[in-house]
Amino acid sequence: MTRTIVLILCLSLPGLVAAQGGFDALSVTTNGDGSQTYTLTLQVLILMTALTLLPAIVLAMTSFTRIIIVLAILRQALGTAQTPSNQVLLGLAMFMTFFIMAPVLDQVHRDAVTPYLEDELKVGEALARAAVPVRNFMTEQTRESDLALFAELAGDEPYQGPDDVPFSVLAPSFITSELKTAFQIGFLIFLPFLIIDLVVASVLMSMGMMMLSPLIISLPFKIMLFVLVDGWALIVGMLAASFYA
């Protein structure tokens, strides 16, 4: 019975829409100055659609990429397999991203969200203001060589200033720079643990214990070294400082 009612409603819905001339909630009003005003329901619909792009936005426009790569390399250098787990690393990377991006988010809230909620700005103006601090953050973390590379690939002339860089060039340049920086930091983190592995392997070979895996012996030494130097505080502090050096 329930399925029958749902089927009847679904079949009758197009007729009801046609009879009413469309949903008023999905209308767009053109103002006298040529600007357009969207109804609240349509704005919510656009917002819910934009939320589907949230993972891509987090990966492409924030500090998340650099942090998660460095943490993954650190776990690989320690040789602790799945400890910490992926969930722990993702949680740490996400909250560190919130911490690092807090000044940018505060500026977006102050310059765009608050005026929009108080009906001082329209949707387009609010989005334009919200994009400014995000673009500034991405530009500061992007190498000029990466910008030049993608500008050349796009066939653009050298840009006069950061504001002239289109987002289609800025986004891949930012991600490329973040990957390069993350692997540079990961290389420096990997070196001391690699030295421990080499020393342990050399000692075991000199003692004739070739059948014993050096990783089993070096693991407690690497964990002890990491704990003694307060490794997590050093890594987290270094990552945060790398964005505002």
Side-chain angles (χ1 to χ4, degrees), residues 24-163:
D24 293 336
L26 300 180
S27 62
V28 180
T29 305
T30 302
N31 301 322
D33 56 357
S35 61
Q36 293 180 333
T37 302
Y38 301 91
T39 59
L40 179 60
T41 305
L42 182 56
Q43 294 173 14
V44 173
L45 177 62
I46 295 174
L47 177 61
M48 296 302 295
T49 304
L51 287 178
T52 60
L53 302 175
L54 184 60
I57 293 174
V58 171
L59 290 175
M61 301 171 61
T62 67
S63 58
F64 181 84
T65 301
R66 183 189 304 184
I67 296 171
I68 192 62
I69 290 177
V70 171
L71 293 179
I73 293 177
L74 171 64
R75 184 176 65 180
Q76 184 71 22
L78 284 172
T80 53
Q82 295 299 317
T83 304
S85 64
N86 293 332
Q87 292 83 352
V88 173
L89 292 185
L90 287 172
L92 177 59
M94 184 62 67
F95 281 105
M96 281 192 63
T97 300
F98 289 146
F99 174 79
I100 294 170
M101 299 296 295
V104 178
L105 298 177
D106 290 341
Q107 187 175 353
V108 170
H109 185 270
R110 182 177 63 253
D111 297 343
V113 177
T114 300
Y116 173 72
L117 295 177
E118 295 176 355
D119 294 330
E120 298 177 2
L121 293 176
K122 296 176 182 177
V123 178
E125 297 173 342
L127 290 177
R129 287 196 180 185
V132 172
V134 178
R135 282 181 59 92
N136 292 338
F137 172 81
M138 296 173 65
T139 303
E140 291 174 357
Q141 305 301 323
T142 304
R143 291 178 171 85
E144 294 183 2
S145 59
D146 295 325
L147 277 176
L149 170 63
F150 283 96
E152 182 181 355
L153 293 176
D156 296 341
E157 297 294 331
Y159 304 113
Q160 300 297 324
D163 296 336

Side-chain angles (χ1 to χ4, degrees), residues 168-186:
S168 59
V169 173
L170 179 60
S173 302
F174 172 75
I175 297 175
T176 304
S177 295
E178 287 296 284
L179 290 173
K180 187 182 300 182
T181 303
F183 277 93
Q184 288 176 349
I185 297 174

Side-chain angles (χ1 to χ4, degrees), residues 145-221:
S145 59
D146 295 325
L147 277 176
L149 170 63
F150 283 96
E152 182 181 355
L153 293 176
D156 296 341
E157 297 294 331
Y159 304 113
Q160 300 297 324
D163 296 336
D164 298 329
V165 180
F167 185 77
S168 59
V169 173
L170 179 60
S173 302
F174 172 75
I175 297 175
T176 304
S177 295
E178 287 296 284
L179 290 173
K180 187 182 300 182
T181 303
F183 277 93
Q184 288 176 349
I185 297 174
F187 170 76
L188 296 177
I189 293 174
F190 212 108
L191 279 180
F193 300 106
L194 179 61
I195 293 174
I196 294 177
D197 287 333
L198 291 175
V199 171
V200 171
S202 300
V203 172
L204 291 178
M205 185 173 296
S206 63
M207 296 176 63
M209 299 180 179
M210 299 188 216
M211 301 301 295
L212 183 61
S213 174
L215 296 178
I216 298 177
I217 306 301
S218 63
L219 178 59
F221 290 100

